[in-house]
């Protein structure tokens, strides 16, 4: 028996900061998101180096049954009138689900089936989102501060971005103090 007490990684719930372990950070900039936003001209006029979101993932073993833990920090901002959002994806292994937890900020989780049926869930600090199998998912920041969300998903799930080349069927635009949902 090993009686050493292992110090696990730490998550600061209020900010989504992960510490105390190997961390892999991926930054997605405006330049990395061609064709994602409805207003291509506004996208071209934006600062290509602008960071739209960071994803921090704890380095952990990969394999059947293993889980990844990561935090997405999605900045507040717009391209034209459309709010900053993640690229969005299906899992390569479509049958694999995921759980998102809202940590700070406010926004929306866009979920879409393979048949194109879409729905939205409100993301706030403390919200829990069970993403079913066979369901694409995208975060949208509708607020004025960074939206941070914790995610736990099977390491074998993989990401399929190409299947959404046509985009999601819903888009979210700034409207007055709030947002407007548009189809198509
Ligand atoms: C998340 C996402 C993260 C970034 O960790 O990968 O929010 O979104 P995109 O991968 O769509 O750029 C997740 O859903 N993992 O499976
Ligand atoms: Zn996912």
């Amino acid at each position: 028996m090993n009686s050493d007490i292992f110090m696990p990684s730490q998550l600061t719930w209020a900010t989504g900061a992960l510490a105390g372990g190997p961390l892999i950070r991926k930054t997605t900039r405006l330049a990395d998101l061609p064709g994602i936003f409805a207003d291509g001209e506004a996208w071209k006029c934006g600062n290509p180096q602008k960071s739209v979101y960071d994803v921090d993932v704890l380095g952990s073993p990969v394999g059947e049954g293993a889980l990844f833990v990561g935090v997405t920090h999605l900045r507040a901002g717009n391209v034209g009138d459309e709010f900053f959002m993640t690229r969005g994806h299906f899992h390569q292994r479509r049958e694999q689900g995921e759980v998102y937890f809202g940590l700070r900020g406010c926004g929306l989780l866009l979920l879409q089936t393979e048949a194109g049926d879409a729905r939205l869930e409100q993301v706030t600090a403390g919200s829990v989102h069970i993403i079913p199998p066979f369901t694409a998912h995208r975060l949208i920041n509708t607020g004025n501060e960074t939206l941070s969300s914790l995610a736990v998903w099977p390491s074998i799930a993989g990401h399929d971005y190409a299947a959404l080349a046509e985009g999601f069927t819903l888009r979210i635009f700034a409207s007055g103090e709030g947002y407007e949902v548009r189809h198509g």
Side-chain angles (χ1 to χ4, degrees), residues 26-182:
K26 182 181 171 210
T27 300
T28 298
R29 302 177 191 281
L30 212 46
D32 300 320
L33 298 169
I36 295 293
F37 295 95
D39 188 341
E41 287 307 309
W43 174 78
K44 270 191 217 155
C45 292
N47 173 2
Q49 288 311 310
K50 167 87 183 157
S51 164
V52 179
Y53 57 99
D54 293 320
V55 183
D56 291 336
V57 179
L58 287 176
S60 59
V62 178
E64 198 75 34
L67 298 171
F68 277 148
V69 172
V71 176
T72 299
H73 300 284
L74 175 59
R75 314 265 167 257
N78 303 61
V79 174
D81 285 339
E82 193 172 17
F83 289 113
F84 276 4
M85 56 193 177
T86 57
R87 187 188 299 273
H89 59 269
F90 280 103
H91 288 155
Q92 225 154 32
R93 288 270 301 265
R94 292 285 196 281
E95 79 285 4
Q96 301 293 319
E98 182 162 2
V99 187
Y100 277 17
F101 305 87
L103 299 174
R104 67 170 170 174
C106 59
L108 296 166
L109 173 62
L110 173 56
L111 299 169
Q112 184 167 308
T113 66
E114 290 182 296
D117 295 322
R119 67 174 206 277
L120 292 160
E121 296 186 2
Q122 193 99 46
V123 183
T124 53
S127 60
V128 179
H129 308 271
I130 299 173
I131 300 169
F134 303 96
T135 305
H137 37 287
R138 160 181 279 171
L139 282 170
I140 300 146
N141 187 344
T142 57
N144 302 317
E145 56 172 316
T146 297
L147 175 71
S148 297
S149 169
L150 171 67
V152 182
W153 71 100
S155 68
I156 55 157
H159 294 119
D160 179 357
Y161 297 102
L164 281 159
E166 301 287 299
F168 285 74
T169 58
L170 296 182
R171 290 183 174 278
I172 314 298
F173 295 89
S175 171
E177 292 294 291
Y179 60 83
E180 181 193 330
V181 179
R182 290 190 210 150

